[in-house]
Each structure stands twice: as structure tokens, then as C-alpha cells.
């Protein structure tokens, strides 16, 4: 049987979490372990130490203001889904969180772990980019546009801790995904936000990393209707082909899901 030993440390605050990581270049932060532990079981990662950040009070907070929602990095998906203030002020985010994985994943998985991992099929990156969110770390604020760099790749430094994610409240928003029936990861997912600055359309599951569609945003800025979204053709050129779906199929799904999101957003 495969086994190896590693140390475990529970961090009390962001400063001690970061200094523990800085002291050991092979250490990693641990949130709910929903991506990291399977990776370790598959022998794709062998951290020397896991620094558990889930008991840091600052990372566990949800703050809802009329124009801004702040979710602590270690808040699990179920707590976002079930928070009545998030449901009232930013329902699209609560619904997105409530459709991630299964009950166990939602009870353990966190927003910070999800966006740090930047799985190409993860749901939260679409909300963070679609709502022009800000990733707040122990040392800086990173706009969503700069945060998601590529497949499983972000702008985070190796020892940088996500503390929270800030979202501006849009006029209207909705998220629709065509999900893998086994994992619920997005085969393709589309987050549409109508904001004072214009419409934003962020797509996950279809490319190497979450991205915005200028074609769909232009169409919806001119006419925020289902028909406008359905009238857009997406080229499959840079989209993913894998055992679940071809690039052409994903290209077909993008306007379909965008139209559904517009319908949901319009109520
Ligand atoms: C069966 C299954 C189904 C799933 N289905 C979905 C789905 O439908 N949609 C979806 O979006 N996701 C899905 N997931 C993933 C899930 O959403 C997890 O939240 C996500 O994998 C991150 O896990 P975690 O929060 O437990 O982080 P961990 O696994 O603990 O950590 C993940 C990575 O993030 C780093 N990290 C964690 N916290 C921080 C922090 N605060 N600052 C910096 N780095 C940090 C860790 O070092 C590690 O590299 C699924 C997972 C499983 C196991």
C-alpha cells in the first residue's frame, strides 16, 4: 500500500499560516482537502506539511452589504448556499454554491480552495470573473481579470494566502451550467452579470481556464434578451475536447447556456 508521512499544522491567523509556509517550501495550505487530498492520493503531490487554514476566524466570515458581498476564503460552499443574506442580495452566487458537487463536497470545499486550484471546470471562477470580483490575499488585492492565469494556474505566489473574495452586487445575474452528472463539475458553465458598467459573460468548463466572451457581451449590451444570446456563434478553435465533450459541442453549449442565464436573470 502507498503511504508517506507529512506534518500537519493548524494555523490560528493569516500571519502564522504564511510564515509556516515560507519556512517550508514543500508545505501547502489545506482547506477542505477536496482537491488537494485526491491529488495526494493519486501521488501527484507530496507536500511535506499541510497548514490547515480552515480555523482562521478572519477566513470564515461572510459580510453582506447593499452593494458588496465578501466571502472569507475558508467559507464552505454550503454556508454560501444557505446564507439568507447572500440569497437575498446576490442569489446567483448562493445558487451556484448550492450546485457544486454533492453534500459532502459542499460541506468541506471552500471558495478559497476552489479559486486557488483553478480547475478549468470549477464553478466559482465564473462568478469571480463574471462579477469582476477582487481576490484579497494576505498582502494585496488582485482583480479577477489578473487572477486566473491558465489551467490550474493563478497569479498567487507560492506562499500567498487568499483571505477573502469581494463581489460587487450587479443589477441582475445568473449562472447556468451543463454539468457532468457524476461530479457536477461544469462541462460548460456560463455566468452572466448585468452591471452599471455593462454586461459581463464569463465561461468555465469550456477552455483551459475561465474566460469572457466579447461576442456575447456585445450582443447582450445591445439587447439583453435570450434571442440575442442565441444569435451568437462561438468558434470552437480554442475550446477543450476531452472524453466528456468535443470543442464543437462546448461551442454549441455556450450561447444556449447564456440564453438560459439571461432568462433566469430576467426572472
Ligand atoms: C467529488 C467532487 C465533486 C466536485 N464537484 C465540483 C463541482 O461541481 N463544481 C466545482 O466547482 N467544484 C467541484 N469540486 C471541487 C470542490 O469545489 C472544492 O472546493 C475544490 O476542489 C477546492 O477544495 P478545497 O476548498 O477543499 O481546497 P483544498 O483541496 O484543501 O486545496 C486546494 C488547493 O488550494 C490551495 N488553497 C486552499 N485554500 C487556500 C487559501 N485560502 N489561499 C491559498 N491557497 C489555498 C491548497 O494549497 C491547494 O493547492 C468537486 C470535488 C469533488 C471531490
Amino acid at each position: 500500500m502507498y503511504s508517506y508521512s507529512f506534518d500537519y499544522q493548524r494555523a490560528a491567523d493569516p500571519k502564522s499560516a504564511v510564515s509556516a509556509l515560507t519556512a517550508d517550501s514543500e508545505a501547502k495550505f489545506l482547506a477542505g482537502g477536496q482537491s488537494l487530498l485526491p491529488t495526494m492520493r493519486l501521488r501527484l503531490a507530496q507536500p511535506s506539511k499541510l497548514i490547515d487554514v480552515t480555523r482562521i476566524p478572519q477566513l470564515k466570515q461572510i459580510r453582506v452589504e447593499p452593494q458588496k458581498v465578501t466571502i472569507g476564503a475558508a467559507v464552505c460552499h454550503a454556508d454560501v448556499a444557505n446564507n439568507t443574506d447572500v440569497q437575498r442580495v446576490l442569489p446567483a452566487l448562493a445558487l451556484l454554491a448550492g450546485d457544486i458537487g454533492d453534500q459532502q463536497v459542499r460541506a468541506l470545499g471552500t471558495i478559497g480552495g476552489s479559486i486557488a486550484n483553478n480547475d478549468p471546470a470549477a464553478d466559482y471562477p465564473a462568478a469571480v470573473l463574471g462579477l469582476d470580483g477582487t481576490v484579497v490575499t494576505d498582502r494585496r488585492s488582485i482583480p479577477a481579470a489578473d487572477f486566473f492565469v491558465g489551467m490550474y494556474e493563478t497569479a498567487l505566489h507560492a506562499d500567498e494566502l487568499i483571505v477573502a473574495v469581494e463581489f460587487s452586487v450587479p443589477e441582475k445575474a445568473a449562472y447556468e451550467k451543463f454539468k457532468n452528472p457524476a461530479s457536477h463539475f461544469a462541462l460548460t458553465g456560463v455566468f452572466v452579470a448585468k452591471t452599471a458598467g455593462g454586461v459581463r459573460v464569463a465561461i468555465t468548463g469550456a477552455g483551459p481556464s475561465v474566460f469572457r466572451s466579447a461576442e456575447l457581451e456585445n450582443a447582450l449590451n445591445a439587447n439583453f434578451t435570450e434571442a440575442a444570446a442565441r444569435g451568437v456563434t462561438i468558434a470552437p478553435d480554442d475550446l477543450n475536447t476531452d472524453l466528456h465533450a468535443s470543442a464543437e459541442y462546448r461551442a454549441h453549449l455556450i450561447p444556449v447556456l447564456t440564453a438560459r442565464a439571461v432568462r433566469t436573470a430576467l426572472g
Side-chain angles (χ1 to χ4, degrees), residues 180-228:
N180 178 315
S183 68
H184 287 197
F185 272 110
L187 201 74
T188 296
V190 179
F191 196 100
V192 174
K194 189 167 190 290
T195 73
V199 177
R200 296 174 67 93
V201 178
I203 297 154
T204 188
S209 179
V210 65
F211 65 95
R212 288 170 64 193
S213 164
E215 298 99 313
L216 282 159
E217 290 181 358
N218 291 338
L220 292 174
N221 273 318
N223 188 13
F224 193 74
T225 61
E226 283 181 63

Side-chain angles (χ1 to χ4, degrees), residues 57-68:
Q58 196 185 341
L59 271 64
K60 299 291 291 176
Q61 291 169 5
I62 295 181
R63 197 166 63 248
V64 178
E65 300 161 74
Q67 294 306 323
K68 186 172 157 192

Side-chain angles (χ1 to χ4, degrees), residues 28-29 31-36 77 101 105 109-110 122-123 162 183-185:
K28 281 191 92 62
F29 295 130
Q34 295 302 289
S35 288
L36 185 52
H77 311 328
V105 170
T110 67
D123 297 301
I162 303 173
S183 68
H184 287 197
F185 272 110

Side-chain angles (χ1 to χ4, degrees), residues 28-38 53 59 73 77 99-102 105 108-114 116-117 121-124 156 160-163 177 183-186:
K28 281 191 92 62
F29 295 130
L30 174 71
Q34 295 302 289
S35 288
L36 185 52
L37 296 186
V53 300
L59 271 64
H77 311 328
D99 205 17
I100 293 175
D102 53 31
V105 170
L108 290 169
T110 67
I111 187 169
S114 176
N117 196 46
D123 297 301
Y124 266 128
L156 288 172
E160 192 166 8
L161 178 73
I162 303 173
V163 172
K177 70 171 161 176
S183 68
H184 287 197
F185 272 110

